[in-house]
Amino acid sequence: MTQTAATATFESLNPATGDVVGVHPVHDAAAVDAAVARARAAAGWWAAQGFDGRRRVLDQWRGVLTRRMAQLADVVHQETGKPHGDAQLEIGLAIDHLAWVGSHASKVLGRKRVAPGLLLANQAASVEYLPLGVVGVIGPWNYPVFTPMGSIAYALGAGNTVVFKPSELTPGVGLWLADSLREVVPDHDLLQVVTGHGDTGAALCRADVDKIAFTGSTATGKRVMAACAERLTPVVIEAGGKDALLVDEDADVVAAADAAAWGAFANAGQTCTGIERVYVHERVYDRFVDELTKRARSVHAGTDADAKLGPMTMPSQLDVVRRHVTDALARGGRALVGGEGAIGDKFVQPTVLVDVPEDSLAVTEETFGPTVTVRKVRDMDEAVELTNAGHYGLGSSVFSASRGPEIARRLRTGMTAINSVISFAGVAGLPFGGVGDSGFGRIHGPDGLREFCYAKAVTRTRFKAPLNLTTFDRTPEQDTVVATLLTALHGRASQLPKRPLRARRDRRS
Ligand code: NDP
């Protein structure tokens, strides 16, 4: 993007030090429209490259990203405050997804033959998935590479060009990504970045884009959907979560506590699929709490070399965390580690809360800080019920030696990790997304590629049909043949069952 299109600028800051990291233009609606028009102009060229041509470009980009990973990690570290190693990890995962996109797009989206059925046996039927054109991506700041790349890489791999609006907290990361792709393809606007605040994102929703892939909070997701509705622009909403971890009586308790600690505190708890609630079988509760608190005390947030947690990237999140912890304690909860005193003016120290009522903010709303509630349950039925009572449904984790898959299937979340946390996000072939207030649509995997396409169905007449159904010349005799054929094909299926159907079936059975 050229700076001339903007009228104002804003600064991105290092949240740990307050230092200015960069100054960026606030792109207005005209600038956004211009970027989308350039993306539209490039879309035909990009689609015409086909799967092989696109794969070559994406592979070259992957090489650039890999070779300059440390440089990009620096930008992420500066804009989010997260440790360099954590920044490198999210970049590595994004690179792995990019590789998957390059090598799988053709197989997932390419033309496939479909059986035409007996009535239309003279037709050759096929389906393929064609690019939509221009995709607008709106991303958050917490994983400023991995999260938007879940949309950007898949949209590009499917043959679309992209206009990306990064969070106002991490514009430098977005620009770095676009610049690195421009090194590979300097002459076509495959990936452009527009910078600014919420208004810039809203302008992108109202621009001439063919789809919006939004990742952010549920509240903003609703605003994005409303804006997109004006033009009937389809959306993917990857919104917040309140993920639970369930620990069964036969679980490896040490492994479960270790996973809970990492799931709750890593990235200072600013992870959409972070663990915010834990439900533990009463037989292993005490042991689990011992192990978890030990780990919570062993990590801290800060800027020193030993700090495994960075600052709260968005200063206003400190108030949310404080409100949730204060509410939990006021309502009978206890802080075994951390608590109100753990919330500073930039950093939050790990906090483990117990005896917190299920209808308190720390259990029902997304906290997005390094805090976790732990509750004793009588069995896994109760744990499943409490997990599913929430209005979010992004991810979940189950620790159980014998019942993992069974419990996982009963959890109303888009993703579940058994005997680990968040591992589903790193498996490129798996879809990523949630249900309920966590949004809809999927990034990653075959579903993530198809999300940025439209299905194109084609039938081709192979030979003259003995029975032409789509003509006014159809005779009563032919209608009789059709009726006979249909009866032979489907008549038995329409017979009433001997026993009455059960009134209501378990939807999850
Ligand atoms: P926000 O919802 O505040 O912002 C997300 C993006 O939307 C930002 O780029 C923001 O711009 C932009 N935006 C703000 N207002 C509008 C608007 N009216 N129209 C269009 N765009 C707008 O989320 P955060 O950045 O605070 O990210 C944290 C949230 O993201 C958490 O809830 C987290 O759970 C969720 N998340 C979900 C993931 C998932 O895959 N399900 C993954 C990662 C995070 P600006 O920053 O400039 O205001």
Side-chain angles (χ1 to χ4, degrees), residues 100 108-109 154 211 236 428-432 441-453:
W100 190 91
V108 173
L109 306 175
Y154 287 77
K211 187 152 197 167
V236 188
L430 279 178
F432 185 99
R442 293 293 182 265
I443 56 172
H444 301 179
D447 300 77
L449 279 169
R450 286 191 205 104
E451 193 72 55
F452 299 108
C453 295

Side-chain angles (χ1 to χ4, degrees), residues 219-294:
T220 310
K222 290 177 185 173
R223 285 198 285 278
V224 163
M225 242 182 121
C228 287
E230 291 171 20
R231 297 176 67 115
L232 208 63
T233 301
V235 288
V236 188
I237 302 284
E238 296 290 347
K242 189 75 192 172
D243 290 8
L245 183 144
L246 289 68
V247 186
D248 202 358
E249 59 182 319
D250 65 351
D252 177 338
V253 172
V254 173
D258 196 58
W262 193 82
F265 309 138
N267 209 35
Q270 304 162 114
T271 303
C272 55
T273 50
I275 299 301
E276 299 208 354
R277 308 179 276 162
V278 184
Y279 298 111
V280 192
H281 195 289
E282 58 190 8
R283 293 212 179 101
V284 292
Y285 177 82
D286 290 340
R287 207 146 59 84
F288 176 86
V289 168
D290 275 355
E291 294 289 342
L292 176 63
T293 51
K294 214 174 4 173

Side-chain angles (χ1 to χ4, degrees), residues 138-143 147 165-169 196-199 201-202 205 214-218 220-221 223-224 238-241 271-272 314 366 368 394 432 438 443:
I138 299 176
W141 44 265
N142 58 339
Y143 290 90
T147 295
K165 153 68 179 74
S167 164
E168 68 194 71
L169 302 179
H197 310 284
D199 285 350
C205 296
F214 169 81
T215 309
S217 64
T218 305
T220 310
R223 285 198 285 278
V224 163
E238 296 290 347
T271 303
C272 55
M314 186 164 67
E366 186 181 44
F368 229 51
L394 194 54
F432 185 99
S438 294
I443 56 172

Side-chain angles (χ1 to χ4, degrees), residues 58-59 61-63 65-66 69 88-104 145-146 149-150 153-154 423-430 444-445:
L58 296 180
D59 281 349
W61 190 28
R62 179 159 58 95
L65 291 174
T66 310
M69 191 157 48
Q88 183 173 290
L89 185 61
E90 72 159 297
I91 297 165
L93 286 174
I95 290 171
D96 208 44
H97 275 270
L98 194 54
W100 190 91
V101 167
S103 58
H104 286 77
V145 175
F146 180 68
M149 281 292 279
Y154 287 77
S423 34
F424 41 72
V427 180
L430 279 178
H444 301 179

Side-chain angles (χ1 to χ4, degrees), residues 415-434:
M415 304 154 295
T416 301
I418 299 170
N419 297 331
S420 69
V421 276
I422 318 183
S423 34
F424 41 72
V427 180
L430 279 178
F432 185 99

